[in-house]
Amino acid sequence: MQTERQIQIIEESIKLIALKGIQGFTIKNLSKAIGISEPAIYRHFESKTAILVAILDSFKEMAGMMSSLPFDEEQPAVEKIAFIFFRMLDVFTEQPTIIPIVFAEEIFKNDNMLKEKINEIQNLNLQKIETIIEQGQEAGNVRQDIDKSSLAIIFLGSFRLLIKRWDLNNYNFDLKEEGTKLVNSFKLIL
């Protein structure tokens, strides 16, 4: 269980990374943003990497919650996927500062622990979508001429591009409106 101060450090770290990039994420900048000394931060986290691990663990927990959502077995696969998609759009709309971290695999590739955390999160999301697609294929409401992995990658890749576009364009379009268009297109593909 994290302390209030650890939660504050994590939240400020996310904001700092969103504002200044990973290069601007230093303990010095973080201590200024929070208004505490650098040694005070080290009392809660042993290193900058430990803070990043805590951030990624919170994202993994969120991905796990999304993966464990209960669905009505009779509900078509596309509706299940759309539900997950719209819940994730809600999360990103409410907390756009998490986007640079959630989609920052290339930043973490030189640190095996961080790379492994990112990989775990991606695999949780991919497995959930693949499972839903497979169930839809077995039920006959998802096309069977394209394998579940390819369909899941098409969906998740499109989702990622939409979110990154929104972020890079300073949130200057309606993410939910564009997301709805994407889901409707995905319905046609399935």
Side-chain angles (χ1 to χ4, degrees):
M1 191 70 172
Q2 294 172 335
T3 66
E4 281 186 43
R5 181 64 82 184
Q6 286 173 318
I7 292 168
Q8 181 188 25
I9 291 169
I10 289 168
E11 289 173 352
E12 286 300 322
S13 296
I14 291 169
K15 291 176 190 172
L16 186 60
I17 292 168
L19 185 66
K20 296 187 176 199
I22 198 72
Q23 305 84 351
F25 176 55
T26 64
I27 298 299
K28 182 178 183 173
N29 287 342
L30 183 57
S31 70
K32 285 180 185 176
I34 296 173
I36 62 174
S37 69
E38 292 178 47
I41 291 174
Y42 286 114
R43 280 194 290 277
H44 298 281
F45 290 98
E46 64 185 39
S47 66
K48 187 167 78 168
T49 299
I51 296 170
L52 291 170
V53 167
I55 292 168
L56 293 176
D57 280 342
S58 68
F59 293 160
K60 183 179 175 188
E61 185 179 318
M62 182 173 42
M65 287 189 306
M66 287 293 185
S67 292
S68 65
L69 288 172
F71 289 107
D72 177 3
E73 288 299 318
E74 301 302 313
Q75 189 178 21
V78 70
E79 296 305 323
K80 294 175 187 176
I81 292 171
F83 179 82
I84 292 171
F85 184 86
F86 288 121
R87 294 304 66 79
M88 290 306 298
L89 286 179
D90 288 341
V91 168
F92 289 124
T93 302
E94 292 165 14
Q95 297 177 295
T97 55
I98 68 173
I99 295 169
I101 300 168
V102 172
F103 298 117
E105 304 87 9
E106 57 278 354
I107 292 172
F108 302 132
K109 72 180 180 184
N110 293 324
D111 185 305
N112 285 334
M113 186 178 2
L114 296 174
K115 184 170 65 172
E116 186 177 310
K117 292 280 182 194
I118 289 285
N119 198 34
E120 289 171 7
I121 294 166
Q122 287 182 343
N123 286 338
L124 268 173
N125 292 330
L126 186 62
Q127 288 167 359
K128 181 62 175 182
I129 300 300
E130 283 180 351
T131 299
I132 292 171
I133 290 170
E134 182 177 39
Q135 291 168 348
Q137 288 173 327
E138 290 169 1
N141 60 44
V142 172
R143 64 190 299 167
Q144 296 180 7
D145 59 332
I146 302 175
D147 67 280
K148 66 182 180 184
S149 296
S150 296
L151 286 171
I153 289 171
I154 290 168
F155 174 76
L156 290 172
S158 300
F159 178 77
R160 176 192 167 93
L161 181 59
L162 175 65
I163 299 298
K164 286 298 287 179
R165 256 188 57 232
W166 184 65
D167 181 47
L168 292 172
N169 285 289
N170 299 313
Y171 324 117
N172 70 357
F173 60 86
D174 187 327
L175 183 60
K176 290 185 182 183
E177 181 180 319
E178 292 300 312
T180 300
K181 290 179 191 175
L182 187 59
V183 166
N184 289 337
S185 297
F186 197 65
K187 286 179 180 180
L188 293 174
I189 292 169
L190 287 180

mmCIF file of all heavy atoms in Angstrom, residues 78-105:
data_model
loop_
_atom_site.group_PDB
_atom_site.id
_atom_site.type_symbol
_atom_site.label_atom_id
_atom_site.label_comp_id
_atom_site.label_asym_id
_atom_site.label_seq_id
_atom_site.Cartn_x
_atom_site.Cartn_y
_atom_site.Cartn_z
ATOM 1 N N VAL A 78 -17.807 -7.444 -30.529
ATOM 2 C CA VAL A 78 -17.542 -6.051 -30.888
ATOM 3 C C VAL A 78 -18.072 -5.103 -29.817
ATOM 4 O O VAL A 78 -17.466 -4.059 -29.551
ATOM 5 C CB VAL A 78 -18.078 -5.712 -32.297
ATOM 6 C CG1 VAL A 78 -19.599 -5.673 -32.320
ATOM 7 C CG2 VAL A 78 -17.487 -4.425 -32.814
ATOM 8 N N GLU A 79 -19.168 -5.459 -29.175
ATOM 9 C CA GLU A 79 -19.719 -4.611 -28.111
ATOM 10 C C GLU A 79 -18.831 -4.657 -26.869
ATOM 11 O O GLU A 79 -18.658 -3.648 -26.184
ATOM 12 C CB GLU A 79 -21.150 -5.028 -27.774
ATOM 13 C CG GLU A 79 -22.135 -4.846 -28.919
ATOM 14 C CD GLU A 79 -22.175 -3.428 -29.482
ATOM 15 O OE1 GLU A 79 -22.061 -2.465 -28.698
ATOM 16 O OE2 GLU A 79 -22.320 -3.295 -30.712
ATOM 17 N N LYS A 80 -18.268 -5.816 -26.589
ATOM 18 C CA LYS A 80 -17.343 -5.940 -25.454
ATOM 19 C C LYS A 80 -16.089 -5.096 -25.697
ATOM 20 O O LYS A 80 -15.623 -4.381 -24.808
ATOM 21 C CB LYS A 80 -16.953 -7.402 -25.247
ATOM 22 C CG LYS A 80 -18.087 -8.295 -24.815
ATOM 23 C CD LYS A 80 -17.623 -9.758 -24.760
ATOM 24 C CE LYS A 80 -18.766 -10.699 -24.493
ATOM 25 N NZ LYS A 80 -18.337 -12.109 -24.534
ATOM 26 N N ILE A 81 -15.567 -5.203 -26.907
ATOM 27 C CA ILE A 81 -14.364 -4.437 -27.252
ATOM 28 C C ILE A 81 -14.668 -2.940 -27.231
ATOM 29 O O ILE A 81 -13.879 -2.145 -26.724
ATOM 30 C CB ILE A 81 -13.798 -4.888 -28.617
ATOM 31 C CG1 ILE A 81 -13.255 -6.318 -28.494
ATOM 32 C CG2 ILE A 81 -12.704 -3.934 -29.094
ATOM 33 C CD1 ILE A 81 -12.869 -6.948 -29.817
ATOM 34 N N ALA A 82 -15.816 -2.558 -27.750
ATOM 35 C CA ALA A 82 -16.206 -1.143 -27.747
ATOM 36 C C ALA A 82 -16.313 -0.628 -26.313
ATOM 37 O O ALA A 82 -15.882 0.496 -26.019
ATOM 38 C CB ALA A 82 -17.534 -0.952 -28.480
ATOM 39 N N PHE A 83 -16.859 -1.436 -25.424
ATOM 40 C CA PHE A 83 -16.978 -1.029 -24.026
ATOM 41 C C PHE A 83 -15.595 -0.746 -23.429
ATOM 42 O O PHE A 83 -15.381 0.287 -22.791
ATOM 43 C CB PHE A 83 -17.703 -2.114 -23.214
ATOM 44 C CG PHE A 83 -17.849 -1.770 -21.763
ATOM 45 C CD1 PHE A 83 -18.877 -0.941 -21.343
ATOM 46 C CD2 PHE A 83 -16.952 -2.258 -20.821
ATOM 47 C CE1 PHE A 83 -19.018 -0.599 -20.000
ATOM 48 C CE2 PHE A 83 -17.085 -1.920 -19.477
ATOM 49 C CZ PHE A 83 -18.114 -1.090 -19.064
ATOM 50 N N ILE A 84 -14.658 -1.660 -23.624
ATOM 51 C CA ILE A 84 -13.292 -1.467 -23.120
ATOM 52 C C ILE A 84 -12.674 -0.218 -23.742
ATOM 53 O O ILE A 84 -12.062 0.603 -23.061
ATOM 54 C CB ILE A 84 -12.422 -2.708 -23.408
ATOM 55 C CG1 ILE A 84 -12.898 -3.889 -22.563
ATOM 56 C CG2 ILE A 84 -10.938 -2.415 -23.147
ATOM 57 C CD1 ILE A 84 -12.245 -5.211 -22.919
ATOM 58 N N PHE A 85 -12.831 -0.089 -25.040
ATOM 59 C CA PHE A 85 -12.280 1.049 -25.779
ATOM 60 C C PHE A 85 -12.793 2.367 -25.200
ATOM 61 O O PHE A 85 -12.010 3.274 -24.904
ATOM 62 C CB PHE A 85 -12.680 0.909 -27.251
ATOM 63 C CG PHE A 85 -12.116 1.954 -28.162
ATOM 64 C CD1 PHE A 85 -10.861 1.806 -28.729
ATOM 65 C CD2 PHE A 85 -12.846 3.089 -28.480
ATOM 66 C CE1 PHE A 85 -10.350 2.764 -29.584
ATOM 67 C CE2 PHE A 85 -12.339 4.047 -29.336
ATOM 68 C CZ PHE A 85 -11.088 3.884 -29.894
ATOM 69 N N PHE A 86 -14.097 2.467 -24.980
ATOM 70 C CA PHE A 86 -14.673 3.713 -24.461
ATOM 71 C C PHE A 86 -14.271 3.965 -23.010
ATOM 72 O O PHE A 86 -14.091 5.112 -22.607
ATOM 73 C CB PHE A 86 -16.189 3.740 -24.647
ATOM 74 C CG PHE A 86 -16.595 3.939 -26.079
ATOM 75 C CD1 PHE A 86 -17.383 3.001 -26.730
ATOM 76 C CD2 PHE A 86 -16.174 5.053 -26.795
ATOM 77 C CE1 PHE A 86 -17.737 3.179 -28.060
ATOM 78 C CE2 PHE A 86 -16.529 5.245 -28.126
ATOM 79 C CZ PHE A 86 -17.312 4.302 -28.762
ATOM 80 N N ARG A 87 -14.093 2.911 -22.224
ATOM 81 C CA ARG A 87 -13.601 3.105 -20.837
ATOM 82 C C ARG A 87 -12.182 3.663 -20.873
ATOM 83 O O ARG A 87 -11.835 4.546 -20.095
ATOM 84 C CB ARG A 87 -13.614 1.795 -20.036
ATOM 85 C CG ARG A 87 -14.966 1.189 -19.735
ATOM 86 C CD ARG A 87 -15.994 2.037 -18.997
ATOM 87 N NE ARG A 87 -16.548 3.210 -19.634
ATOM 88 C CZ ARG A 87 -17.510 3.260 -20.561
ATOM 89 N NH1 ARG A 87 -18.036 2.163 -21.018
ATOM 90 N NH2 ARG A 87 -17.937 4.406 -21.045
ATOM 91 N N MET A 88 -11.359 3.143 -21.781
ATOM 92 C CA MET A 88 -9.984 3.648 -21.891
ATOM 93 C C MET A 88 -9.976 5.087 -22.410
ATOM 94 O O MET A 88 -9.170 5.906 -21.961
ATOM 95 C CB MET A 88 -9.145 2.738 -22.794
ATOM 96 C CG MET A 88 -8.860 1.380 -22.174
ATOM 97 S SD MET A 88 -8.100 1.458 -20.530
ATOM 98 C CE MET A 88 -6.566 2.279 -20.873
ATOM 99 N N LEU A 89 -10.860 5.407 -23.336
ATOM 100 C CA LEU A 89 -10.959 6.799 -23.799
ATOM 101 C C LEU A 89 -11.329 7.711 -22.636
ATOM 102 O O LEU A 89 -10.796 8.820 -22.529
ATOM 103 C CB LEU A 89 -11.998 6.931 -24.917
ATOM 104 C CG LEU A 89 -11.609 6.403 -26.283
ATOM 105 C CD1 LEU A 89 -12.760 6.597 -27.272
ATOM 106 C CD2 LEU A 89 -10.352 7.039 -26.809
ATOM 107 N N ASP A 90 -12.217 7.249 -21.767
ATOM 108 C CA ASP A 90 -12.581 8.032 -20.578
ATOM 109 C C ASP A 90 -11.348 8.286 -19.709
ATOM 110 O O ASP A 90 -11.124 9.404 -19.245
ATOM 111 C CB ASP A 90 -13.647 7.314 -19.744
ATOM 112 C CG ASP A 90 -15.020 7.310 -20.398
ATOM 113 O OD1 ASP A 90 -15.269 8.138 -21.303
ATOM 114 O OD2 ASP A 90 -15.856 6.455 -20.003
ATOM 115 N N VAL A 91 -10.556 7.246 -19.494
ATOM 116 C CA VAL A 91 -9.349 7.377 -18.662
ATOM 117 C C VAL A 91 -8.400 8.406 -19.267
ATOM 118 O O VAL A 91 -7.907 9.301 -18.573
ATOM 119 C CB VAL A 91 -8.638 6.013 -18.493
ATOM 120 C CG1 VAL A 91 -7.254 6.179 -17.888
ATOM 121 C CG2 VAL A 91 -9.487 5.067 -17.645
ATOM 122 N N PHE A 92 -8.133 8.297 -20.568
ATOM 123 C CA PHE A 92 -7.191 9.224 -21.211
ATOM 124 C C PHE A 92 -7.748 10.641 -21.276
ATOM 125 O O PHE A 92 -6.993 11.604 -21.155
ATOM 126 C CB PHE A 92 -6.795 8.727 -22.598
ATOM 127 C CG PHE A 92 -5.903 7.520 -22.552
ATOM 128 C CD1 PHE A 92 -6.252 6.356 -23.203
ATOM 129 C CD2 PHE A 92 -4.710 7.552 -21.857
ATOM 130 C CE1 PHE A 92 -5.430 5.240 -23.161
ATOM 131 C CE2 PHE A 92 -3.875 6.439 -21.805
ATOM 132 C CZ PHE A 92 -4.239 5.284 -22.453
ATOM 133 N N THR A 93 -9.055 10.776 -21.453
ATOM 134 C CA THR A 93 -9.670 12.100 -21.479
ATOM 135 C C THR A 93 -9.567 12.765 -20.109
ATOM 136 O O THR A 93 -9.286 13.957 -20.012
ATOM 137 C CB THR A 93 -11.156 12.000 -21.917
ATOM 138 O OG1 THR A 93 -11.210 11.395 -23.206
ATOM 139 C CG2 THR A 93 -11.794 13.366 -21.993
ATOM 140 N N GLU A 94 -9.776 11.981 -19.063
ATOM 141 C CA GLU A 94 -9.710 12.516 -17.701
ATOM 142 C C GLU A 94 -8.274 12.750 -17.235
ATOM 143 O O GLU A 94 -8.030 13.630 -16.416
ATOM 144 C CB GLU A 94 -10.413 11.553 -16.731
ATOM 145 C CG GLU A 94 -11.909 11.490 -16.938
ATOM 146 C CD GLU A 94 -12.558 10.299 -16.236
ATOM 147 O OE1 GLU A 94 -11.911 9.662 -15.385
ATOM 148 O OE2 GLU A 94 -13.723 10.001 -16.564
ATOM 149 N N GLN A 95 -7.336 11.954 -17.740
ATOM 150 C CA GLN A 95 -5.938 12.054 -17.315
ATOM 151 C C GLN A 95 -4.992 12.043 -18.517
ATOM 152 O O GLN A 95 -4.202 11.112 -18.686
ATOM 153 C CB GLN A 95 -5.575 10.884 -16.400
ATOM 154 C CG GLN A 95 -6.332 10.832 -15.111
ATOM 155 C CD GLN A 95 -5.933 9.593 -14.324
ATOM 156 O OE1 GLN A 95 -6.183 8.478 -14.752
ATOM 157 N NE2 GLN A 95 -5.295 9.807 -13.188
ATOM 158 N N PRO A 96 -5.023 13.067 -19.341
ATOM 159 C CA PRO A 96 -4.166 13.050 -20.537
ATOM 160 C C PRO A 96 -2.669 13.038 -20.220
ATOM 161 O O PRO A 96 -1.869 12.646 -21.068
ATOM 162 C CB PRO A 96 -4.574 14.314 -21.291
ATOM 163 C CG PRO A 96 -5.248 15.178 -20.286
ATOM 164 C CD PRO A 96 -5.846 14.267 -19.267
ATOM 165 N N THR A 97 -2.304 13.402 -18.998
ATOM 166 C CA THR A 97 -0.878 13.412 -18.644
ATOM 167 C C THR A 97 -0.269 12.014 -18.598
ATOM 168 O O THR A 97 0.951 11.877 -18.641
ATOM 169 C CB THR A 97 -0.655 14.095 -17.276
ATOM 170 O OG1 THR A 97 -1.469 13.450 -16.291
ATOM 171 C CG2 THR A 97 -0.977 15.574 -17.336
ATOM 172 N N ILE A 98 -1.097 10.971 -18.551
ATOM 173 C CA ILE A 98 -0.536 9.622 -18.509
ATOM 174 C C ILE A 98 -0.130 9.102 -19.887
ATOM 175 O O ILE A 98 0.631 8.145 -19.989
ATOM 176 C CB ILE A 98 -1.484 8.614 -17.825
ATOM 177 C CG1 ILE A 98 -2.741 8.349 -18.655
ATOM 178 C CG2 ILE A 98 -1.818 9.056 -16.415
ATOM 179 C CD1 ILE A 98 -3.633 7.245 -18.101
ATOM 180 N N ILE A 99 -0.607 9.749 -20.948
ATOM 181 C CA ILE A 99 -0.348 9.267 -22.303
ATOM 182 C C ILE A 99 1.137 9.142 -22.619
ATOM 183 O O ILE A 99 1.566 8.100 -23.134
ATOM 184 C CB ILE A 99 -1.076 10.146 -23.347
ATOM 185 C CG1 ILE A 99 -2.587 10.015 -23.165
ATOM 186 C CG2 ILE A 99 -0.668 9.777 -24.774
ATOM 187 C CD1 ILE A 99 -3.409 11.023 -23.948
ATOM 188 N N PRO A 100 1.968 10.151 -22.331
ATOM 189 C CA PRO A 100 3.386 10.006 -22.674
ATOM 190 C C PRO A 100 4.086 8.839 -21.970
ATOM 191 O O PRO A 100 5.090 8.342 -22.477
ATOM 192 C CB PRO A 100 4.005 11.334 -22.213
ATOM 193 C CG PRO A 100 2.875 12.298 -22.166
ATOM 194 C CD PRO A 100 1.669 11.480 -21.796
ATOM 195 N N ILE A 101 3.548 8.383 -20.852
ATOM 196 C CA ILE A 101 4.170 7.259 -20.154
ATOM 197 C C ILE A 101 3.606 5.940 -20.652
ATOM 198 O O ILE A 101 4.343 4.992 -20.910
ATOM 199 C CB ILE A 101 3.974 7.389 -18.632
ATOM 200 C CG1 ILE A 101 4.613 8.697 -18.153
ATOM 201 C CG2 ILE A 101 4.585 6.206 -17.905
ATOM 202 C CD1 ILE A 101 4.260 9.074 -16.753
ATOM 203 N N VAL A 102 2.291 5.876 -20.810
ATOM 204 C CA VAL A 102 1.654 4.637 -21.249
ATOM 205 C C VAL A 102 2.185 4.216 -22.622
ATOM 206 O O VAL A 102 2.396 3.034 -22.875
ATOM 207 C CB VAL A 102 0.116 4.786 -21.291
ATOM 208 C CG1 VAL A 102 -0.543 3.580 -21.925
ATOM 209 C CG2 VAL A 102 -0.432 5.005 -19.891
ATOM 210 N N PHE A 103 2.434 5.179 -23.481
ATOM 211 C CA PHE A 103 2.892 4.881 -24.836
ATOM 212 C C PHE A 103 4.351 5.272 -25.039
ATOM 213 O O PHE A 103 4.714 5.827 -26.066
ATOM 214 C CB PHE A 103 2.000 5.590 -25.856
ATOM 215 C CG PHE A 103 0.560 5.140 -25.801
ATOM 216 C CD1 PHE A 103 -0.435 6.030 -25.474
ATOM 217 C CD2 PHE A 103 0.214 3.833 -26.075
ATOM 218 C CE1 PHE A 103 -1.761 5.628 -25.428
ATOM 219 C CE2 PHE A 103 -1.102 3.417 -26.020
ATOM 220 C CZ PHE A 103 -2.096 4.320 -25.703
ATOM 221 N N ALA A 104 5.178 4.958 -24.070
ATOM 222 C CA ALA A 104 6.592 5.378 -24.134
ATOM 223 C C ALA A 104 7.537 4.185 -24.094
ATOM 224 O O ALA A 104 8.578 4.245 -23.475
ATOM 225 C CB ALA A 104 6.886 6.337 -22.993
ATOM 226 N N GLU A 105 7.177 3.112 -24.779
ATOM 227 C CA GLU A 105 8.003 1.907 -24.736
ATOM 228 C C GLU A 105 9.447 2.182 -25.132
ATOM 229 O O GLU A 105 10.375 1.673 -24.525
ATOM 230 C CB GLU A 105 7.458 0.830 -25.681
ATOM 231 C CG GLU A 105 6.044 0.445 -25.463
ATOM 232 C CD GLU A 105 5.046 1.312 -26.214
ATOM 233 O OE1 GLU A 105 5.443 2.132 -27.062
ATOM 234 O OE2 GLU A 105 3.858 1.175 -25.935
#
